[in-house]
Each structure stands twice: as structure tokens, then as C-alpha cells.
Amino acid sequence: MTKSAYAMITVEEALRMVLAQAQPLPPARVKLADALGLALAEDALAQDPMPPFPSAGVDGFAIRVEDGRAPRAFQGEQMAGVVSGLRVAPGGAVRITTGAPVPPGADAIVMVEVAEEVNGQVILRHLPGAGDGIRPVGQDIRAGEVVLSRGTPLGAAEIGLLATIGKGEVLAHPRPRVAVFSTGDELVEVETALAPGKIRDSNRHALMAAVRASGAEPLSLGVARDNPADVEAKIDEALAAADAVISSGGVSMGKLDLVKPLLERRGTIHFGRVVMKPGKPVTFATIGGKPLFALPGFPVSSLVSFELFVRPALRRMAGHQQVTRPRIRVALAHDVQHDAARTEFQRAVAAYEDGQVVARTTGFQGSGRLLSLVGANVLLVLSAGRGDFAKGETVEALVVGEIY
Ligand code: AMP
Ligand code: MG
């Protein structure tokens, strides 16, 4: 029997170790068009108020409320984007479009739905109150207001706000560049016909997609063959090109599991075994401060260990404060078998049913069966220390996709 040199640690300890090493990348100027999903690295301050001028909130007529319900003399038009120079005189009205500057003299806009112009007269079917239909200066944003604070993740609304306040470029944490390579003599490229003993390299494609989905930038480094020189060359290439490195395969207890000894020699291994299923041999190291994740070769093991350890690290490197997935409680739709020896992350589909979230397994939970991840929007967290679960029990789950 071979014994692993690495202490078995818990998922929580492992995540703590990863987050203790992963540091936010130095901020850089980024064009607004490239900023989606990034974490802002500065406070964004509005120089100008919004709206910057008293602005019509509706289409209608600019009037003076004190003139009462009497018909007004039609004075002309004030469209959006120009300053007409018109002033609303006592007893007068100016046609106005939404977003146009309110002409001086007016204190309300009567909506076009309740007013009309007939032969030079504006007839009101409703008298608005003072200020109605007018968006005052600074109603939405005050001059000098911090509209977004450092650390805010940039989504559509945030990017719109930055555009509003005139920032075409922002200081943000860049997307981590992540080199991804596979290891194994059995691996061939996707479009290669399978010769005896060969399988296609799926991990590299799956992991690169997972990297991209986490907001980072994947770099493909291909496949390292099962010899130390090849693996070391890939590691060197990866370290030169990227902020973080992901390999898959070659970390269990087989004769050709070469990755750990190499990492040991080149840097520091923080952990090499975690009490979890799938993904027990997941390994985390640093070389010169850069994180390297040596993930297990089985496709589900590699993606689940990415989810638990790599994604939080990449989020942290990208400057995000919220780096782990939300946890919720879900009710089991059926009995679930569980080995009390390890924390297990079972793939399931959760859905709202009668006011609670109910989870159903994706079927056979083999570490090689990628189909067990297809459609899975939760990972059931079946903690070590207790065995099987019964239908109707609630368990903790990591939300990894949208719940419908
Ligand atoms: P290993 O961790 O290298 O012992 O690999 C464990 C299992 O995962 C073996 O059945 C490998 O053939 C398989 N495997 C390893 N790397 C990949 C990969 N890149 N794509 C698909 N399967 C893989
Ligand atoms: Mg292998």
C-alpha cells in the first residue's frame, strides 16, 4: 500500500489556505466597454448633477400653475437637446418633449394626455401641481456624490452610471490570466479519432470555460505528457504567461502522478489532499507567489474542485469581495446515499416547488460522468460525520447556477 505524504484537511481549511494566498491583482485603467464583471478599484464620483438642468419628465406643455385652468396662449416648442430661448409668459404655454430643458417661467409640465393645442390655444383638462412633470437638477445624482464605491462589481447598471458621469475608462482590477493544461499520455485533441487506449482531453476545455465563466481569462497550454520534463516545461511556460495556473490529472497515487513532486521541488504545496468527494487529491501550491492548482484528472473531480477552490481564488484576484457561491437550504426530493467519511458534493437540480427549493439528483454520481454536472444548479453539501439522508430532509447546497 502506498501512503500519501499529504495531510488530509477539510474543505473549509483548504479554502482558507487558498484565500490566504490569493491577492487582488494591481488595478489598471480599463475601457468601459471591457469592464463588465470587473471590480471597481476606485470611488466613482459625479462631477455634474443628474439631471444637469431642470428637465421635462413627460411630453406635454410647460405652464405656470398660478394661471389656473384657463386656456393658454401657445408660444412655441422646446425640444430635447437644444435651448430654445423661450420663456413661459403669464397665460402662456410651450410644447415640450421628455428630456428637454424646462423653459424659464414654467413651474409644471401638463402631460400631453390631458392637454392639447387647438388653433393657437392650449386647453387643459387637468391642472398639475407645482413641480409636476419636472425632474429637478440633481434628482437622480447630486454633484460631488460618490455613485459607486471601490470594490463594486460592474454590471449593466454600474456601467451605465459610469457612462452617465463621463468615465470612459475606469480603474478596475484586471481579469486574472489563467494558464490551463492537461496531463496524460492517454489524451488526444478533441477532433482526433480515438486509437486504442486514448480518450479526448475534455478537462482543458471544461476548465477554460469555467475560468471564463468566473470572469477570468483562460490561456490554453495544451497537454503535458506523463514525464517530469514535459510537466515542468508546461509549468514554466504557464508561470511566464499567467497570473495563476491550473493543471488537471497526475495528482493521485498512480505511478505516473508526477505533478506533486514537481510542485514540491519548485515551490510550496499548501495542501495535497482534502476530505471531499469528488476531488480528494486536489492540490494547491504557490511558486513565487503565483497560485497553482493541480486538479484531479477525473472530469467531475476537476470541475467540482475548480468550483470549490479555484473560482474563489480567481474572484479574489479579480478584486471581488464576494468570492464564494451563495449557500441555501434545499429539501431532498428522494433518499440520498452518503458515505459519512467524507464531505460529498452531489450534483442536483433545484427548483421552487410550493414555496420551497426542492433538489433532485442528476443521477449516477461517478467522478468521470460529466453528465452528472449537466443542468446541475446546486451542489448538495453532504457533510462528513453522518450517513444517508432521507427524502424531505433539508440539506445545505451551494448555488452554482440559476434556480427556476
Ligand atoms: P489521473 O488523475 O491523471 O490519474 O486521471 C484520472 C482519470 O481522469 C483517468 O481516467 C484519466 O484518463 C482521466 N483524465 C485525466 N485527464 C483528463 C482530461 N484532460 N480529460 C479527460 N479525462 C481525463
Ligand atoms: Mg494521468
Side-chain angles (χ1 to χ4, degrees), residues 183-184 186 226 249-250 257:
T183 70
E186 74 278 34
D226 281 326
D257 290 335

Side-chain angles (χ1 to χ4, degrees), residues 168-188:
E169 277 188 2
V170 285
L171 199 60
H173 296 280
R175 290 173 209 289
R177 283 163 310 148
V178 185
V180 181
F181 68 93
S182 303
T183 70
D185 285 341
E186 74 278 34
L187 303 176
V188 296

Side-chain angles (χ1 to χ4, degrees), residues 165-289:
I165 67 169
K167 288 190 83 76
E169 277 188 2
V170 285
L171 199 60
H173 296 280
R175 290 173 209 289
R177 283 163 310 148
V178 185
V180 181
F181 68 93
S182 303
T183 70
D185 285 341
E186 74 278 34
L187 303 176
V188 296
E189 292 296 331
V190 175
E191 289 173 322
T192 307
L194 294 180
K198 303 293 186 187
I199 60 166
R200 297 192 182 95
D201 173 11
S202 68
N203 286 350
R204 184 160 42 99
H205 296 279
L207 290 166
M208 286 174 59
V211 165
R212 200 180 286 289
S214 76
E217 192 68 52
L219 308 171
S220 174
L221 263 57
V223 178
R225 295 305 163 194
D226 281 326
N227 64 75
D230 217 25
V231 176
E232 186 158 27
K234 287 289 181 210
I235 289 177
D236 284 327
E237 194 186 339
L239 289 169
D243 305 304
V245 183
I246 302 173
S247 68
S248 71
V251 287
S252 46
M253 299 292 291
K255 189 158 172 285
L256 288 179
D257 290 335
L258 310 159
V259 180
K260 278 172 170 150
L262 256 172
L263 294 175
E264 188 87 69
R265 184 158 63 70
R266 293 290 304 276
T268 308
I269 294 193
H270 301 276
F271 59 81
R273 274 197 312 165
V274 179
V275 244
M276 61 186 269
K277 182 185 171 183
K280 183 173 77 166
V282 57
T283 297
F284 171 58
T286 48
I287 299 180

Side-chain angles (χ1 to χ4, degrees), residues 111-191:
M111 292 193 334
V112 72
E113 287 84 345
V114 290
E116 61 182 331
E117 188 236 314
V118 185
N119 299 328
Q121 286 215 310
V122 176
I123 317 292
L124 272 60
R125 290 198 302 279
H126 166 79
L127 181 65
D132 285 2
I134 296 177
R135 298 167 59 225
V137 171
Q139 182 179 60
D140 300 336
I141 300 171
R142 285 171 284 110
E145 183 175 348
V146 172
V147 291
L148 297 172
S149 51
R150 259 180 82 168
T152 303
L154 301 177
E158 293 75 16
I159 285 174
L161 265 175
L162 292 167
T164 303
I165 67 169
K167 288 190 83 76
E169 277 188 2
V170 285
L171 199 60
H173 296 280
R175 290 173 209 289
R177 283 163 310 148
V178 185
V180 181
F181 68 93
S182 303
T183 70
D185 285 341
E186 74 278 34
L187 303 176
V188 296
E189 292 296 331
V190 175
E191 289 173 322

